[in-house]
Structures are given as structure tokens and as C-alpha cells.
Amino acid sequence: MHITRERPASQQGPAEHFTGTVWLDEIAQTAAPSRLRMFNVHFAPGAHTAWHRHPHGQVLHVLNGEGRVQRRGGPVERIRAGDSVWIEAGEWHWHGAGPHTFMTHLAVVEAAEDGTTAEWGAHADPAGHGA
């Protein structure tokens, strides 16, 4: 068993991967052989990720606020506090806050063998346009 009492400082989401103000807090990065990663992600109103996908999928659990999520080719879906979203391995998607509310979610991923957790694409349009 390992208890982490101190965590890395909050990091602002880089502009090449996020639109708007986004802050990431690393909650867990486990030792090998596990490749689990967990982040607490805070989105300002209207902020969201670029299109991206994960080698082993991703679980999002909304802690507070209201957000949006979309998989490529699908409709923009509303998500609210208490909702959990499973995004399948390799599925292109984006997620973020609603236009008028902050949103915070936990994001859980498993890194690939080389340590990467995501492949990033173009910036997303929350209106559902542009892939």
C-alpha cells in the first residue's frame, strides 16, 4: 500500500490541447506494472479539450457543474454532476464545460506501454462542427 499525501502543483491545460481556461491536478500515477493515471480536471465556462483519443479508453466522472462530451460522428451530449462516461479505446472525442457553467470531472486512463495516455487532434467546436 502507498499513500500519497502531497501532489504535484496544478498545471494549466496547454493551449494546443485545450480551448479556454482548464486546470489539471494529478491525483494518481501508479507504479509499474500498473499504468493507471487519474486527474481532477477543472474547466471554466465554455472551456474544452481538443479532439483526442486514448489507447485504452477513458472514464470521466463529473464531480460538479454541467459539461458537454461528444464522440466523433455523434451528437453533443450534456453531462452533469454524478454522471460517469466510458469512452472506448481509440474513440475520438472531446469534453468540457457547458457554455455558462464551470465543470470539474475526474479523468481516469491507462497509459500505453510507452507511457502515452492520449493522441491529440484538431481543436473541437462545441457546436458539433469540425473534426
mmCIF file of all heavy atoms in Angstrom, residues 36-86:
data_model
loop_
_atom_site.group_PDB
_atom_site.id
_atom_site.type_symbol
_atom_site.label_atom_id
_atom_site.label_comp_id
_atom_site.label_asym_id
_atom_site.label_seq_id
_atom_site.Cartn_x
_atom_site.Cartn_y
_atom_site.Cartn_z
ATOM 1 N N LEU A 36 -2.106 3.076 -14.484
ATOM 2 C CA LEU A 36 -3.263 3.904 -14.186
ATOM 3 C C LEU A 36 -2.849 5.354 -13.952
ATOM 4 O O LEU A 36 -1.850 5.625 -13.297
ATOM 5 C CB LEU A 36 -3.965 3.385 -12.930
ATOM 6 C CG LEU A 36 -5.177 4.185 -12.462
ATOM 7 C CD1 LEU A 36 -6.350 3.964 -13.401
ATOM 8 C CD2 LEU A 36 -5.542 3.790 -11.044
ATOM 9 N N ARG A 37 -3.644 6.277 -14.510
ATOM 10 C CA ARG A 37 -3.450 7.708 -14.287
ATOM 11 C C ARG A 37 -4.815 8.309 -13.962
ATOM 12 O O ARG A 37 -5.815 7.964 -14.594
ATOM 13 C CB ARG A 37 -2.889 8.416 -15.522
ATOM 14 C CG ARG A 37 -1.602 7.820 -16.081
ATOM 15 C CD ARG A 37 -0.413 8.071 -15.157
ATOM 16 N NE ARG A 37 0.823 7.601 -15.747
ATOM 17 C CZ ARG A 37 1.334 6.376 -15.601
ATOM 18 N NH1 ARG A 37 0.697 5.475 -14.879
ATOM 19 N NH2 ARG A 37 2.474 6.048 -16.173
ATOM 20 N N MET A 38 -4.843 9.212 -12.977
ATOM 21 C CA MET A 38 -6.097 9.867 -12.613
ATOM 22 C C MET A 38 -5.848 11.351 -12.434
ATOM 23 O O MET A 38 -4.871 11.755 -11.803
ATOM 24 C CB MET A 38 -6.667 9.292 -11.315
ATOM 25 C CG MET A 38 -8.031 9.874 -10.972
ATOM 26 S SD MET A 38 -8.719 9.325 -9.380
ATOM 27 C CE MET A 38 -8.560 7.580 -9.462
ATOM 28 N N PHE A 39 -6.741 12.160 -13.024
ATOM 29 C CA PHE A 39 -6.637 13.611 -12.966
ATOM 30 C C PHE A 39 -7.964 14.211 -12.544
ATOM 31 O O PHE A 39 -9.026 13.719 -12.915
ATOM 32 C CB PHE A 39 -6.257 14.185 -14.347
ATOM 33 C CG PHE A 39 -4.943 13.709 -14.852
ATOM 34 C CD1 PHE A 39 -4.849 12.545 -15.607
ATOM 35 C CD2 PHE A 39 -3.791 14.417 -14.569
ATOM 36 C CE1 PHE A 39 -3.628 12.096 -16.069
ATOM 37 C CE2 PHE A 39 -2.556 13.975 -15.034
ATOM 38 C CZ PHE A 39 -2.479 12.806 -15.780
ATOM 39 N N ASN A 40 -7.899 15.286 -11.794
ATOM 40 C CA ASN A 40 -9.044 16.122 -11.484
ATOM 41 C C ASN A 40 -8.921 17.303 -12.445
ATOM 42 O O ASN A 40 -7.913 18.021 -12.413
ATOM 43 C CB ASN A 40 -8.974 16.571 -10.025
ATOM 44 C CG ASN A 40 -10.274 17.070 -9.487
ATOM 45 O OD1 ASN A 40 -11.279 17.098 -10.172
ATOM 46 N ND2 ASN A 40 -10.254 17.488 -8.234
ATOM 47 N N VAL A 41 -9.905 17.498 -13.325
ATOM 48 C CA VAL A 41 -9.803 18.500 -14.380
ATOM 49 C C VAL A 41 -10.891 19.544 -14.169
ATOM 50 O O VAL A 41 -12.075 19.207 -14.057
ATOM 51 C CB VAL A 41 -9.922 17.865 -15.784
ATOM 52 C CG1 VAL A 41 -9.636 18.893 -16.862
ATOM 53 C CG2 VAL A 41 -8.980 16.666 -15.917
ATOM 54 N N HIS A 42 -10.479 20.810 -14.111
ATOM 55 C CA HIS A 42 -11.376 21.928 -13.837
ATOM 56 C C HIS A 42 -11.494 22.784 -15.103
ATOM 57 O O HIS A 42 -10.500 23.320 -15.580
ATOM 58 C CB HIS A 42 -10.812 22.805 -12.709
ATOM 59 C CG HIS A 42 -10.344 22.013 -11.525
ATOM 60 N ND1 HIS A 42 -11.176 21.648 -10.503
ATOM 61 C CD2 HIS A 42 -9.123 21.503 -11.221
ATOM 62 C CE1 HIS A 42 -10.495 20.964 -9.604
ATOM 63 N NE2 HIS A 42 -9.255 20.851 -10.021
ATOM 64 N N PHE A 43 -12.719 22.908 -15.635
ATOM 65 C CA PHE A 43 -12.984 23.670 -16.855
ATOM 66 C C PHE A 43 -13.768 24.929 -16.514
ATOM 67 O O PHE A 43 -14.820 24.846 -15.871
ATOM 68 C CB PHE A 43 -13.836 22.854 -17.831
ATOM 69 C CG PHE A 43 -13.188 21.609 -18.370
ATOM 70 C CD1 PHE A 43 -13.263 20.408 -17.683
ATOM 71 C CD2 PHE A 43 -12.530 21.638 -19.591
ATOM 72 C CE1 PHE A 43 -12.697 19.251 -18.194
ATOM 73 C CE2 PHE A 43 -11.956 20.481 -20.112
ATOM 74 C CZ PHE A 43 -12.034 19.288 -19.412
ATOM 75 N N ALA A 44 -13.312 26.087 -16.968
ATOM 76 C CA ALA A 44 -14.094 27.327 -16.869
ATOM 77 C C ALA A 44 -15.235 27.245 -17.877
ATOM 78 O O ALA A 44 -15.187 26.439 -18.824
ATOM 79 C CB ALA A 44 -13.203 28.538 -17.169
ATOM 80 N N PRO A 45 -16.278 28.063 -17.733
ATOM 81 C CA PRO A 45 -17.390 28.022 -18.683
ATOM 82 C C PRO A 45 -16.897 28.098 -20.133
ATOM 83 O O PRO A 45 -16.079 28.950 -20.481
ATOM 84 C CB PRO A 45 -18.220 29.254 -18.310
ATOM 85 C CG PRO A 45 -17.977 29.413 -16.845
ATOM 86 C CD PRO A 45 -16.516 29.064 -16.672
ATOM 87 N N GLY A 46 -17.384 27.174 -20.948
ATOM 88 C CA GLY A 46 -17.037 27.130 -22.362
ATOM 89 C C GLY A 46 -15.700 26.479 -22.689
ATOM 90 O O GLY A 46 -15.411 26.223 -23.854
ATOM 91 N N ALA A 47 -14.877 26.188 -21.694
ATOM 92 C CA ALA A 47 -13.566 25.565 -21.948
ATOM 93 C C ALA A 47 -13.748 24.082 -22.264
ATOM 94 O O ALA A 47 -14.659 23.425 -21.738
ATOM 95 C CB ALA A 47 -12.656 25.740 -20.743
ATOM 96 N N HIS A 48 -12.874 23.541 -23.120
ATOM 97 C CA HIS A 48 -12.996 22.139 -23.501
ATOM 98 C C HIS A 48 -11.689 21.638 -24.095
ATOM 99 O O HIS A 48 -10.799 22.410 -24.436
ATOM 100 C CB HIS A 48 -14.154 21.939 -24.494
ATOM 101 C CG HIS A 48 -14.060 22.821 -25.696
ATOM 102 N ND1 HIS A 48 -13.320 22.485 -26.808
ATOM 103 C CD2 HIS A 48 -14.582 24.041 -25.956
ATOM 104 C CE1 HIS A 48 -13.410 23.450 -27.707
ATOM 105 N NE2 HIS A 48 -14.176 24.414 -27.208
ATOM 106 N N THR A 49 -11.623 20.324 -24.246
ATOM 107 C CA THR A 49 -10.454 19.700 -24.848
ATOM 108 C C THR A 49 -10.508 19.828 -26.366
ATOM 109 O O THR A 49 -11.563 20.103 -26.940
ATOM 110 C CB THR A 49 -10.388 18.192 -24.513
ATOM 111 O OG1 THR A 49 -11.450 17.512 -25.194
ATOM 112 C CG2 THR A 49 -10.464 17.930 -23.021
ATOM 113 N N ALA A 50 -9.387 19.560 -26.996
ATOM 114 C CA ALA A 50 -9.350 19.319 -28.439
ATOM 115 C C ALA A 50 -9.822 17.878 -28.658
ATOM 116 O O ALA A 50 -9.969 17.095 -27.709
ATOM 117 C CB ALA A 50 -7.928 19.501 -28.965
ATOM 118 N N TRP A 51 -10.055 17.511 -29.897
ATOM 119 C CA TRP A 51 -10.336 16.108 -30.209
ATOM 120 C C TRP A 51 -9.140 15.280 -29.765
ATOM 121 O O TRP A 51 -7.982 15.681 -29.945
ATOM 122 C CB TRP A 51 -10.550 15.924 -31.714
ATOM 123 C CG TRP A 51 -11.852 16.451 -32.215
ATOM 124 C CD1 TRP A 51 -12.052 17.653 -32.845
ATOM 125 C CD2 TRP A 51 -13.121 15.822 -32.135
ATOM 126 N NE1 TRP A 51 -13.376 17.803 -33.153
ATOM 127 C CE2 TRP A 51 -14.063 16.687 -32.724
ATOM 128 C CE3 TRP A 51 -13.561 14.606 -31.616
ATOM 129 C CZ2 TRP A 51 -15.411 16.372 -32.819
ATOM 130 C CZ3 TRP A 51 -14.910 14.292 -31.715
ATOM 131 C CH2 TRP A 51 -15.814 15.170 -32.308
ATOM 132 N N HIS A 52 -9.397 14.137 -29.179
ATOM 133 C CA HIS A 52 -8.323 13.243 -28.766
ATOM 134 C C HIS A 52 -8.872 11.838 -28.571
ATOM 135 O O HIS A 52 -10.075 11.620 -28.587
ATOM 136 C CB HIS A 52 -7.645 13.745 -27.482
ATOM 137 C CG HIS A 52 -8.537 13.795 -26.288
ATOM 138 N ND1 HIS A 52 -9.552 14.727 -26.132
ATOM 139 C CD2 HIS A 52 -8.583 13.018 -25.188
ATOM 140 C CE1 HIS A 52 -10.164 14.536 -24.983
ATOM 141 N NE2 HIS A 52 -9.600 13.481 -24.387
ATOM 142 N N ARG A 53 -7.949 10.885 -28.412
ATOM 143 C CA ARG A 53 -8.331 9.503 -28.114
ATOM 144 C C ARG A 53 -7.296 8.899 -27.183
ATOM 145 O O ARG A 53 -6.163 9.393 -27.079
ATOM 146 C CB ARG A 53 -8.495 8.686 -29.389
ATOM 147 C CG ARG A 53 -7.247 8.555 -30.220
ATOM 148 C CD ARG A 53 -7.553 7.808 -31.489
ATOM 149 N NE ARG A 53 -6.398 7.766 -32.376
ATOM 150 C CZ ARG A 53 -6.389 7.134 -33.525
ATOM 151 N NH1 ARG A 53 -7.455 6.478 -33.942
ATOM 152 N NH2 ARG A 53 -5.310 7.133 -34.274
ATOM 153 N N HIS A 54 -7.695 7.817 -26.513
ATOM 154 C CA HIS A 54 -6.842 7.166 -25.518
ATOM 155 C C HIS A 54 -6.608 5.715 -25.919
ATOM 156 O O HIS A 54 -7.540 5.044 -26.385
ATOM 157 C CB HIS A 54 -7.506 7.223 -24.143
ATOM 158 C CG HIS A 54 -7.834 8.614 -23.719
ATOM 159 N ND1 HIS A 54 -6.895 9.463 -23.183
ATOM 160 C CD2 HIS A 54 -8.993 9.317 -23.787
ATOM 161 C CE1 HIS A 54 -7.473 10.627 -22.923
ATOM 162 N NE2 HIS A 54 -8.733 10.569 -23.280
ATOM 163 N N PRO A 55 -5.388 5.202 -25.718
ATOM 164 C CA PRO A 55 -5.077 3.848 -26.167
ATOM 165 C C PRO A 55 -5.920 2.767 -25.492
ATOM 166 O O PRO A 55 -6.205 1.742 -26.108
ATOM 167 C CB PRO A 55 -3.591 3.674 -25.841
ATOM 168 C CG PRO A 55 -3.286 4.715 -24.826
ATOM 169 C CD PRO A 55 -4.234 5.850 -25.083
ATOM 170 N N HIS A 56 -6.332 2.996 -24.238
ATOM 171 C CA HIS A 56 -7.123 2.001 -23.516
ATOM 172 C C HIS A 56 -8.461 2.551 -23.061
ATOM 173 O O HIS A 56 -9.093 1.999 -22.169
ATOM 174 C CB HIS A 56 -6.335 1.477 -22.312
ATOM 175 C CG HIS A 56 -5.070 0.787 -22.693
ATOM 176 N ND1 HIS A 56 -5.049 -0.450 -23.305
ATOM 177 C CD2 HIS A 56 -3.776 1.170 -22.583
ATOM 178 C CE1 HIS A 56 -3.795 -0.800 -23.545
ATOM 179 N NE2 HIS A 56 -3.009 0.167 -23.125
ATOM 180 N N GLY A 57 -8.903 3.661 -23.633
ATOM 181 C CA GLY A 57 -10.162 4.271 -23.239
ATOM 182 C C GLY A 57 -9.997 5.222 -22.067
ATOM 183 O O GLY A 57 -8.886 5.473 -21.593
ATOM 184 N N GLN A 58 -11.122 5.755 -21.594
ATOM 185 C CA GLN A 58 -11.104 6.741 -20.516
ATOM 186 C C GLN A 58 -12.438 6.697 -19.782
ATOM 187 O O GLN A 58 -13.485 6.488 -20.400
ATOM 188 C CB GLN A 58 -10.884 8.140 -21.092
ATOM 189 C CG GLN A 58 -10.847 9.244 -20.055
ATOM 190 C CD GLN A 58 -10.648 10.610 -20.684
ATOM 191 O OE1 GLN A 58 -11.320 10.969 -21.647
ATOM 192 N NE2 GLN A 58 -9.715 11.369 -20.156
ATOM 193 N N VAL A 59 -12.376 6.902 -18.481
ATOM 194 C CA VAL A 59 -13.577 7.096 -17.680
ATOM 195 C C VAL A 59 -13.571 8.529 -17.178
ATOM 196 O O VAL A 59 -12.558 9.005 -16.655
ATOM 197 C CB VAL A 59 -13.633 6.131 -16.473
ATOM 198 C CG1 VAL A 59 -14.832 6.456 -15.582
ATOM 199 C CG2 VAL A 59 -13.683 4.689 -16.934
ATOM 200 N N LEU A 60 -14.696 9.223 -17.373
ATOM 201 C CA LEU A 60 -14.899 10.556 -16.816
ATOM 202 C C LEU A 60 -15.997 10.442 -15.765
ATOM 203 O O LEU A 60 -17.016 9.789 -16.012
ATOM 204 C CB LEU A 60 -15.362 11.541 -17.890
ATOM 205 C CG LEU A 60 -14.490 11.696 -19.124
ATOM 206 C CD1 LEU A 60 -15.171 12.628 -20.117
ATOM 207 C CD2 LEU A 60 -13.117 12.209 -18.742
ATOM 208 N N HIS A 61 -15.798 11.070 -14.617
ATOM 209 C CA HIS A 61 -16.848 11.141 -13.599
ATOM 210 C C HIS A 61 -17.003 12.606 -13.214
ATOM 211 O O HIS A 61 -16.060 13.215 -12.693
ATOM 212 C CB HIS A 61 -16.527 10.294 -12.372
ATOM 213 C CG HIS A 61 -17.606 10.376 -11.347
ATOM 214 N ND1 HIS A 61 -18.817 9.735 -11.494
ATOM 215 C CD2 HIS A 61 -17.681 11.071 -10.188
ATOM 216 C CE1 HIS A 61 -19.576 10.025 -10.450
ATOM 217 N NE2 HIS A 61 -18.914 10.828 -9.652
ATOM 218 N N VAL A 62 -18.182 13.181 -13.499
ATOM 219 C CA VAL A 62 -18.425 14.596 -13.262
ATOM 220 C C VAL A 62 -18.668 14.823 -11.767
ATOM 221 O O VAL A 62 -19.576 14.236 -11.184
ATOM 222 C CB VAL A 62 -19.616 15.114 -14.091
ATOM 223 C CG1 VAL A 62 -19.811 16.610 -13.873
ATOM 224 C CG2 VAL A 62 -19.410 14.810 -15.573
ATOM 225 N N LEU A 63 -17.840 15.686 -11.178
ATOM 226 C CA LEU A 63 -17.943 15.992 -9.750
ATOM 227 C C LEU A 63 -18.878 17.153 -9.478
ATOM 228 O O LEU A 63 -19.623 17.141 -8.502
ATOM 229 C CB LEU A 63 -16.559 16.297 -9.173
ATOM 230 C CG LEU A 63 -15.567 15.150 -9.226
ATOM 231 C CD1 LEU A 63 -14.188 15.626 -8.793
ATOM 232 C CD2 LEU A 63 -16.051 13.995 -8.370
ATOM 233 N N ASN A 64 -18.807 18.187 -10.315
ATOM 234 C CA ASN A 64 -19.730 19.312 -10.163
ATOM 235 C C ASN A 64 -19.863 20.068 -11.472
ATOM 236 O O ASN A 64 -19.038 19.948 -12.360
ATOM 237 C CB ASN A 64 -19.326 20.238 -9.003
ATOM 238 C CG ASN A 64 -17.922 20.771 -9.136
ATOM 239 O OD1 ASN A 64 -17.466 21.076 -10.224
ATOM 240 N ND2 ASN A 64 -17.225 20.885 -8.027
ATOM 241 N N GLY A 65 -20.965 20.809 -11.569
ATOM 242 C CA GLY A 65 -21.229 21.604 -12.754
ATOM 243 C C GLY A 65 -21.913 20.812 -13.847
ATOM 244 O O GLY A 65 -22.405 19.703 -13.633
ATOM 245 N N GLU A 66 -21.918 21.413 -15.021
ATOM 246 C CA GLU A 66 -22.507 20.788 -16.203
ATOM 247 C C GLU A 66 -21.527 20.910 -17.348
ATOM 248 O O GLU A 66 -20.881 21.939 -17.524
ATOM 249 C CB GLU A 66 -23.809 21.485 -16.581
ATOM 250 C CG GLU A 66 -24.501 20.857 -17.768
ATOM 251 C CD GLU A 66 -25.789 21.562 -18.128
ATOM 252 O OE1 GLU A 66 -26.757 21.468 -17.342
ATOM 253 O OE2 GLU A 66 -25.818 22.219 -19.190
ATOM 254 N N GLY A 67 -21.411 19.837 -18.131
ATOM 255 C CA GLY A 67 -20.470 19.847 -19.234
ATOM 256 C C GLY A 67 -21.064 19.278 -20.496
ATOM 257 O O GLY A 67 -22.266 19.031 -20.603
ATOM 258 N N ARG A 68 -20.171 19.080 -21.452
ATOM 259 C CA ARG A 68 -20.529 18.520 -22.744
ATOM 260 C C ARG A 68 -19.470 17.482 -23.112
ATOM 261 O O ARG A 68 -18.298 17.626 -22.775
ATOM 262 C CB ARG A 68 -20.550 19.596 -23.840
ATOM 263 C CG ARG A 68 -21.438 20.800 -23.558
ATOM 264 C CD ARG A 68 -22.916 20.448 -23.657
ATOM 265 N NE ARG A 68 -23.766 21.624 -23.552
ATOM 266 C CZ ARG A 68 -24.254 22.096 -22.409
ATOM 267 N NH1 ARG A 68 -23.948 21.521 -21.264
ATOM 268 N NH2 ARG A 68 -25.045 23.157 -22.399
ATOM 269 N N VAL A 69 -19.890 16.467 -23.851
ATOM 270 C CA VAL A 69 -18.988 15.454 -24.384
ATOM 271 C C VAL A 69 -19.523 15.038 -25.746
ATOM 272 O O VAL A 69 -20.738 15.047 -25.972
ATOM 273 C CB VAL A 69 -18.851 14.241 -23.420
ATOM 274 C CG1 VAL A 69 -20.176 13.513 -23.247
ATOM 275 C CG2 VAL A 69 -17.753 13.294 -23.859
ATOM 276 N N GLN A 70 -18.608 14.725 -26.657
ATOM 277 C CA GLN A 70 -19.013 14.295 -27.988
ATOM 278 C C GLN A 70 -18.006 13.300 -28.516
ATOM 279 O O GLN A 70 -16.797 13.519 -28.408
ATOM 280 C CB GLN A 70 -19.095 15.487 -28.947
ATOM 281 C CG GLN A 70 -19.553 15.096 -30.345
ATOM 282 C CD GLN A 70 -19.560 16.269 -31.314
ATOM 283 O OE1 GLN A 70 -18.834 17.238 -31.145
ATOM 284 N NE2 GLN A 70 -20.384 16.170 -32.351
ATOM 285 N N ARG A 71 -18.520 12.211 -29.087
ATOM 286 C CA ARG A 71 -17.639 11.305 -29.824
ATOM 287 C C ARG A 71 -17.769 11.640 -31.295
ATOM 288 O O ARG A 71 -18.807 12.141 -31.749
ATOM 289 C CB ARG A 71 -17.969 9.854 -29.551
ATOM 290 C CG ARG A 71 -19.300 9.423 -30.041
ATOM 291 C CD ARG A 71 -19.474 7.945 -29.825
ATOM 292 N NE ARG A 71 -20.864 7.635 -29.561
ATOM 293 C CZ ARG A 71 -21.284 6.423 -29.314
ATOM 294 N NH1 ARG A 71 -20.441 5.427 -29.265
ATOM 295 N NH2 ARG A 71 -22.549 6.210 -29.107
ATOM 296 N N ARG A 72 -16.710 11.405 -32.033
ATOM 297 C CA ARG A 72 -16.714 11.741 -33.460
ATOM 298 C C ARG A 72 -17.892 11.056 -34.159
ATOM 299 O O ARG A 72 -18.116 9.869 -33.998
ATOM 300 C CB ARG A 72 -15.390 11.325 -34.107
ATOM 301 C CG ARG A 72 -15.301 11.809 -35.543
ATOM 302 C CD ARG A 72 -13.919 11.764 -36.092
ATOM 303 N NE ARG A 72 -13.179 12.921 -35.575
ATOM 304 C CZ ARG A 72 -11.861 13.016 -35.604
ATOM 305 N NH1 ARG A 72 -11.128 12.037 -36.064
ATOM 306 N NH2 ARG A 72 -11.260 14.089 -35.147
ATOM 307 N N GLY A 73 -18.661 11.877 -34.878
ATOM 308 C CA GLY A 73 -19.815 11.367 -35.602
ATOM 309 C C GLY A 73 -21.086 11.312 -34.783
ATOM 310 O O GLY A 73 -22.151 11.020 -35.315
ATOM 311 N N GLY A 74 -21.002 11.607 -33.477
ATOM 312 C CA GLY A 74 -22.186 11.544 -32.622
ATOM 313 C C GLY A 74 -22.653 12.925 -32.204
ATOM 314 O O GLY A 74 -21.999 13.930 -32.483
ATOM 315 N N PRO A 75 -23.769 12.991 -31.512
ATOM 316 C CA PRO A 75 -24.287 14.277 -31.048
ATOM 317 C C PRO A 75 -23.508 14.787 -29.841
ATOM 318 O O PRO A 75 -22.863 14.013 -29.128
ATOM 319 C CB PRO A 75 -25.733 13.959 -30.659
ATOM 320 C CG PRO A 75 -25.673 12.522 -30.221
ATOM 321 C CD PRO A 75 -24.648 11.883 -31.135
ATOM 322 N N VAL A 76 -23.572 16.080 -29.586
ATOM 323 C CA VAL A 76 -23.022 16.655 -28.360
ATOM 324 C C VAL A 76 -23.972 16.255 -27.232
ATOM 325 O O VAL A 76 -25.188 16.439 -27.336
ATOM 326 C CB VAL A 76 -22.908 18.194 -28.467
ATOM 327 C CG1 VAL A 76 -22.437 18.785 -27.142
ATOM 328 C CG2 VAL A 76 -21.965 18.573 -29.595
ATOM 329 N N GLU A 77 -23.433 15.671 -26.167
ATOM 330 C CA GLU A 77 -24.232 15.193 -25.036
ATOM 331 C C GLU A 77 -23.971 16.061 -23.815
ATOM 332 O O GLU A 77 -22.813 16.415 -23.537
ATOM 333 C CB GLU A 77 -23.862 13.747 -24.697
ATOM 334 C CG GLU A 77 -24.016 12.775 -25.837
ATOM 335 C CD GLU A 77 -25.425 12.264 -26.017
ATOM 336 O OE1 GLU A 77 -26.285 12.548 -25.166
ATOM 337 O OE2 GLU A 77 -25.657 11.572 -27.023
ATOM 338 N N ARG A 78 -25.004 16.374 -23.050
ATOM 339 C CA ARG A 78 -24.851 17.082 -21.774
ATOM 340 C C ARG A 78 -24.480 16.074 -20.693
ATOM 341 O O ARG A 78 -25.012 14.961 -20.672
ATOM 342 C CB ARG A 78 -26.145 17.762 -21.371
ATOM 343 C CG ARG A 78 -26.439 18.992 -22.154
ATOM 344 C CD ARG A 78 -27.649 19.693 -21.591
ATOM 345 N NE ARG A 78 -27.846 20.911 -22.364
ATOM 346 C CZ ARG A 78 -28.763 21.801 -22.093
ATOM 347 N NH1 ARG A 78 -29.586 21.631 -21.083
ATOM 348 N NH2 ARG A 78 -28.879 22.880 -22.840
ATOM 349 N N ILE A 79 -23.569 16.471 -19.827
ATOM 350 C CA ILE A 79 -23.219 15.662 -18.661
ATOM 351 C C ILE A 79 -23.290 16.551 -17.430
ATOM 352 O O ILE A 79 -22.994 17.745 -17.507
ATOM 353 C CB ILE A 79 -21.834 14.990 -18.810
ATOM 354 C CG1 ILE A 79 -20.756 16.021 -19.178
ATOM 355 C CG2 ILE A 79 -21.896 13.873 -19.842
ATOM 356 C CD1 ILE A 79 -19.341 15.439 -19.254
ATOM 357 N N ARG A 80 -23.704 15.960 -16.305
ATOM 358 C CA ARG A 80 -23.899 16.721 -15.067
ATOM 359 C C ARG A 80 -23.260 16.003 -13.901
ATOM 360 O O ARG A 80 -22.933 14.814 -13.992
ATOM 361 C CB ARG A 80 -25.402 16.874 -14.797
ATOM 362 C CG ARG A 80 -26.122 17.702 -15.825
ATOM 363 C CD ARG A 80 -27.596 17.864 -15.457
ATOM 364 N NE ARG A 80 -28.268 18.709 -16.416
ATOM 365 C CZ ARG A 80 -28.924 18.273 -17.464
ATOM 366 N NH1 ARG A 80 -29.011 16.984 -17.711
ATOM 367 N NH2 ARG A 80 -29.510 19.118 -18.286
ATOM 368 N N ALA A 81 -23.124 16.707 -12.786
ATOM 369 C CA ALA A 81 -22.563 16.135 -11.562
ATOM 370 C C ALA A 81 -23.220 14.785 -11.275
ATOM 371 O O ALA A 81 -24.446 14.647 -11.348
ATOM 372 C CB ALA A 81 -22.764 17.093 -10.395
ATOM 373 N N GLY A 82 -22.389 13.797 -11.009
ATOM 374 C CA GLY A 82 -22.859 12.441 -10.744
ATOM 375 C C GLY A 82 -22.819 11.527 -11.951
ATOM 376 O O GLY A 82 -22.835 10.310 -11.797
ATOM 377 N N ASP A 83 -22.742 12.083 -13.166
ATOM 378 C CA ASP A 83 -22.682 11.264 -14.384
ATOM 379 C C ASP A 83 -21.282 10.686 -14.562
ATOM 380 O O ASP A 83 -20.275 11.334 -14.262
ATOM 381 C CB ASP A 83 -23.004 12.091 -15.631
ATOM 382 C CG ASP A 83 -24.451 12.520 -15.733
ATOM 383 O OD1 ASP A 83 -25.282 12.045 -14.921
ATOM 384 O OD2 ASP A 83 -24.749 13.348 -16.619
ATOM 385 N N SER A 84 -21.229 9.458 -15.082
ATOM 386 C CA SER A 84 -19.964 8.835 -15.482
ATOM 387 C C SER A 84 -20.042 8.510 -16.965
ATOM 388 O O SER A 84 -21.098 8.104 -17.462
ATOM 389 C CB SER A 84 -19.702 7.558 -14.692
ATOM 390 O OG SER A 84 -19.495 7.846 -13.328
ATOM 391 N N VAL A 85 -18.932 8.693 -17.661
ATOM 392 C CA VAL A 85 -18.864 8.456 -19.107
ATOM 393 C C VAL A 85 -17.721 7.495 -19.375
ATOM 394 O O VAL A 85 -16.594 7.730 -18.927
ATOM 395 C CB VAL A 85 -18.616 9.779 -19.876
ATOM 396 C CG1 VAL A 85 -18.550 9.525 -21.374
ATOM 397 C CG2 VAL A 85 -19.660 10.832 -19.531
ATOM 398 N N TRP A 86 -17.989 6.405 -20.092
ATOM 399 C CA TRP A 86 -16.942 5.489 -20.550
ATOM 400 C C TRP A 86 -16.698 5.786 -22.020
ATOM 401 O O TRP A 86 -17.618 5.730 -22.836
ATOM 402 C CB TRP A 86 -17.357 4.034 -20.369
ATOM 403 C CG TRP A 86 -16.515 3.062 -21.157
ATOM 404 C CD1 TRP A 86 -16.942 2.250 -22.159
ATOM 405 C CD2 TRP A 86 -15.118 2.824 -21.030
ATOM 406 N NE1 TRP A 86 -15.893 1.509 -22.656
ATOM 407 C CE2 TRP A 86 -14.761 1.845 -21.978
ATOM 408 C CE3 TRP A 86 -14.115 3.352 -20.214
ATOM 409 C CZ2 TRP A 86 -13.461 1.378 -22.128
ATOM 410 C CZ3 TRP A 86 -12.820 2.892 -20.361
ATOM 411 C CH2 TRP A 86 -12.504 1.910 -21.307
#
